[in-house]
Amino acid sequence: MQKANFLNGVDTKTFYPIVSILGVVVFVGIFFEQLFIDCSKVVVSFCLGQFTWFYLPVSGAIIIATYAFACTPFASRIVGGDKYKKPVVGIYSYLAVIITGSIGSGILFWGVAEPLYHYYYPPALFGNAALSPAAASAAIGFATTHWAYVFFACIALWSVGIGYMCFDRGLPFKPSSALYPLLKAYTFKWPGRVVDIVCVVSLIGGIVTSFGFGAMQMAGGVEYVFGIKPNNMVYFWIVVLISAVFTCSSIRGIKKGITVLADLNGYFYIALFLFLFIAGPTKFLIGLYVEAVGDMFTNFIPMMTNVDPFNIDKGWSTNWSALFFVWACVYTPVTSMFFVTISRGRTYRQMLLLSLIPPTLWVVVMFVALGGNAIWLDAFEGAKMMDLLNKVGVPMSVYHLLERFPLGSLGGITLLFTLLISFTTMTDNMTFSIASLTSKTVDENEKGADIYLRFFWAVVICALTLICLFVLGNAGTKALESMSAACGLPFYVLMVLLIIAITMMLSGKYDAVEYKGNTETTSN
């Protein structure tokens, strides 16, 4: 009976193509490993290397459009309609889910490494000398722009499109519905299907990559705290542990499961950065924070136009800015399905601004707490943090930073718990969205798709992660990373179309759209 219910609730026209594509990718990766790796390198080299001129200015347009839409009369409408008298999720839980359920673990992974890289090797076009004070504040600004601005702006824009067309106008709960003003009836035919399928496949490639790197970082923490060397068995139990916590969270739903974990995760992050600010050089870190925020505004236009046609920076804009912006774009269409679900009851203006401003400021805080302390140790205590980074690697860098503080071992344990909850929350959010997209119906009381469908996608993600770690190793994980990044070109085209579609929504022309439950819609 459960099997029948599971199949009856599945949108097979989306579900089966996604499963088939993933099956082919896994088959080629396992049995033709070198071909898989070589092809992914060629594709990503072409998509990133040849289109940096497109990614950077469009990224700037995405951010500008987010603020512009927030200033329109349309933004005063309530997500989901007037039937929501108050927000379905409180402000703290809302921000905690947005931050910890998306890029929180990524900040812990790169929090020490990326600011150090930009401090030691600043892009020449910005005119900062290596290891200079100007390079230090700019490094924090670069890292924040790479991780926060575009990512959260993309989430905000997809949430507007999906929220209005799906919750307000009744179209199917899918990313393709956000493009209805442009696709019209084709939203429900193969063009819309292709949009949804590509969104899910790309997201799974991205989350498996993040999950794989996260498992490596947690395994490094297990070695650092408990002295157990990373191996396949350690990776296995880490993935199983995350899966077990995720399963318990999923069964309890959004309000009693996901938001509870996100709230707890938020407290861990707050405790971590307060500890690093108080135990570290507090005055220096506060000053660095203020300067970094200023540098973000000062360098915004140069960063979004630094195409570097003379290759003065030897691919810096491509390998850093374009690559991170592409990752942001790949994640956002599907993850926005979850964020817009918890945005019901808020105005679109609140959703836009809360999705962008507080998370961005939080990312600055975390990069200052981690990267700023590393820069201080390097500049004032002769710690040679770049040598250490090259020796221990990016995943272990944050643990070796913490050991220089009082109660360093306790900090390592706290970091392990923070990572565990971060990946659990992220997986919960992602599988909620993927299951909703591949489901025929979505529950109106915020429960999302059927629990069995959500559990199925959680198993798929965990299994793909273990295959990458066990069979393909680091090369395979990087190949998936490249594949995810290669999807940036079609996604950036979709972002341009999304901005046009939302602009058309603002006119009020689609306020009378009514979804009939099949391929037909009517508009007065």
Side-chain angles (χ1 to χ4, degrees), residues 25 28-29 32-49 205 209 323 327 468 472-488:
V25 170
V28 175
F32 302 95
E33 178 182 344
Q34 194 56 49
L35 175 64
F36 176 68
I37 294 172
D38 291 342
C39 288
S40 64
K41 286 181 179 179
V42 171
V43 172
V44 76
S45 176
F46 173 76
C47 290
L48 280 179
T209 302
L323 179 60
W327 276 349
C468 283
L472 302 179
N474 190 51
T477 306
K478 287 191 174 182
L480 276 178
E481 174 187 39
S482 299
M483 288 178 60
S484 180
C487 294

Side-chain angles (χ1 to χ4, degrees), residues 37 91 100 113 122 124 178 193 209 290 356 365 390 417 432 434 447 455 482 514:
I37 294 172
I91 186 68
T100 66
R193 298 281 182 188
T209 302
V290 174
L356 189 58
V365 168
N390 292 330
F417 276 106
F432 176 95
I434 296 171
K447 289 183 179 179
F455 183 73
S482 299
E514 181 183 358

Side-chain angles (χ1 to χ4, degrees), residues 250 428 431-432 435 447 449-458:
S250 289
D428 219 346
T431 52
F432 176 95
K447 289 183 179 179
D450 188 274
I451 185 64
Y452 298 108
L453 186 56
R454 294 167 64 183
F455 183 73
F456 170 82
W457 286 115

Side-chain angles (χ1 to χ4, degrees), residues 256-273:
K256 296 182 179 180
I258 298 176
T259 55
V260 171
L261 278 179
D263 288 352
L264 179 61
N265 206 11
Y267 294 134
F268 274 114
Y269 278 111
I270 292 171
L272 179 62
F273 84 72

Side-chain angles (χ1 to χ4, degrees), residues 353-501:
L353 297 181
L354 287 175
S355 297
L356 189 58
I357 297 176
T360 298
L361 295 176
W362 175 85
V363 171
V364 183
V365 168
M366 290 305 299
F367 272 120
V368 170
L370 296 169
N373 267 299
I375 290 172
W376 166 272
L377 291 170
D378 195 282
F380 295 99
E381 298 188 11
K384 297 183 178 180
M385 295 299 291
M386 181 56 73
D387 291 341
L388 177 64
L389 176 62
N390 292 330
K391 179 181 178 181
V392 303
V394 174
M396 291 294 294
S397 58
V398 64
Y399 296 106
H400 286 272
L401 173 71
L402 290 174
E403 74 177 3
R404 296 176 178 272
F405 288 82
L407 306 176
S409 59
L410 180 60
I413 295 174
T414 302
L415 183 63
L416 272 176
F417 276 106
T418 304
L419 283 168
L420 170 63
I421 301 173
S422 289
F423 279 106
T424 301
T425 308
M426 180 181 69
T427 306
D428 219 346
N429 294 350
M430 303 299 184
T431 52
F432 176 95
S433 301
I434 296 171
S436 297
L437 197 154
T438 53
S439 175
K440 288 182 179 177
T441 58
V442 177
D443 200 314
E444 280 297 319
N445 61 7
E446 287 88 44
K447 289 183 179 179
D450 188 274
I451 185 64
Y452 298 108
L453 186 56
R454 294 167 64 183
F455 183 73
F456 170 82
W457 286 115
V459 171
V460 169
I461 289 171
C462 293
L464 288 175
T465 302
L466 290 174
I467 289 173
C468 283
L469 292 172
F470 292 177
V471 181
L472 302 179
N474 190 51
T477 306
K478 287 191 174 182
L480 276 178
E481 174 187 39
S482 299
M483 288 178 60
S484 180
C487 294
L489 182 58
F491 269 108
Y492 261 72
V493 174
L494 288 181
M495 288 305 306
V496 174
L497 297 178
L498 177 65
I499 291 174
I500 296 173

Side-chain angles (χ1 to χ4, degrees), residues 79-80 162-170 173 337 340-341 344:
V79 181
I162 294 172
Y164 177 70
M165 297 309 305
C166 299
F167 291 149
D168 297 353
R169 303 275 63 84
F173 192 43
M337 295 173 63
V340 74
T341 298
R344 286 188 267 193

Side-chain angles (χ1 to χ4, degrees), residues 149-463:
Y149 266 161
V150 179
F151 177 81
F152 290 116
C154 287
I155 283 181
L157 292 183
W158 279 106
S159 295
V160 169
I162 294 172
Y164 177 70
M165 297 309 305
C166 299
F167 291 149
D168 297 353
R169 303 275 63 84
L171 270 69
F173 192 43
K174 302 177 186 295
S176 58
S177 293
L179 302 178
Y180 175 80
L182 294 173
L183 294 179
K184 297 292 194 289
Y186 288 104
T187 304
F188 316 105
K189 299 178 181 179
W190 69 264
R193 298 281 182 188
V194 169
V195 170
D196 296 332
I197 291 168
V198 172
C199 285
V200 173
V201 171
S202 302
L203 172 66
I204 290 176
I207 192 174
V208 167
T209 302
S210 299
F211 209 165
F213 286 144
M216 293 178 187
Q217 188 175 30
M218 291 186 67
V222 170
E223 179 184 12
Y224 177 79
V225 175
F226 303 107
I228 302 174
K229 292 285 186 181
N231 53 49
N232 285 349
M233 187 57 65
V234 173
Y235 293 143
F236 173 80
W237 284 113
I238 287 174
V239 173
V240 168
L241 178 61
I242 294 175
S243 301
V245 178
F246 153 77
T247 302
C248 295
S249 174
S250 289
I251 292 174
R252 293 179 62 83
I254 292 179
K255 293 183 179 180
K256 296 182 179 180
I258 298 176
T259 55
V260 171
L261 278 179
D263 288 352
L264 179 61
N265 206 11
Y267 294 134
F268 274 114
Y269 278 111
I270 292 171
L272 179 62
F273 84 72
L274 284 178
F275 170 73
L276 290 172
F277 264 78
I278 295 172
T282 306
K283 181 181 178 180
F284 170 82
L285 295 177
I286 293 175
L288 187 61
Y289 178 87
V290 174
E291 287 195 0
V293 172
D295 278 351
M296 284 194 302
F297 287 104
T298 303
N299 293 329
F300 174 74
I301 293 179
M303 277 198 72
M304 299 305 168
T305 56
N306 182 22
V307 179
D308 192 14
F310 290 95
N311 199 29
I312 295 173
D313 281 319
K314 303 193 182 304
W316 186 89
S317 292
T318 297
N319 297 325
W320 284 102
S321 298
L323 179 60
F324 278 98
F325 293 161
V326 162
W327 276 349
C329 202
V330 167
Y331 271 89
T332 52
V334 180
T335 55
S336 296
M337 295 173 63
F338 178 82
F339 294 130
V340 74
T341 298
I342 64 172
S343 296
R344 286 188 267 193
R346 299 189 182 279
T347 65
Y348 283 97
R349 181 174 295 110
Q350 291 173 333
M351 183 179 71
L352 285 164
L353 297 181
L354 287 175
S355 297
L356 189 58
I357 297 176
T360 298
L361 295 176
W362 175 85
V363 171
V364 183
V365 168
M366 290 305 299
F367 272 120
V368 170
L370 296 169
N373 267 299
I375 290 172
W376 166 272
L377 291 170
D378 195 282
F380 295 99
E381 298 188 11
K384 297 183 178 180
M385 295 299 291
M386 181 56 73
D387 291 341
L388 177 64
L389 176 62
N390 292 330
K391 179 181 178 181
V392 303
V394 174
M396 291 294 294
S397 58
V398 64
Y399 296 106
H400 286 272
L401 173 71
L402 290 174
E403 74 177 3
R404 296 176 178 272
F405 288 82
L407 306 176
S409 59
L410 180 60
I413 295 174
T414 302
L415 183 63
L416 272 176
F417 276 106
T418 304
L419 283 168
L420 170 63
I421 301 173
S422 289
F423 279 106
T424 301
T425 308
M426 180 181 69
T427 306
D428 219 346
N429 294 350
M430 303 299 184
T431 52
F432 176 95
S433 301
I434 296 171
S436 297
L437 197 154
T438 53
S439 175
K440 288 182 179 177
T441 58
V442 177
D443 200 314
E444 280 297 319
N445 61 7
E446 287 88 44
K447 289 183 179 179
D450 188 274
I451 185 64
Y452 298 108
L453 186 56
R454 294 167 64 183
F455 183 73
F456 170 82
W457 286 115
V459 171
V460 169
I461 289 171
C462 293

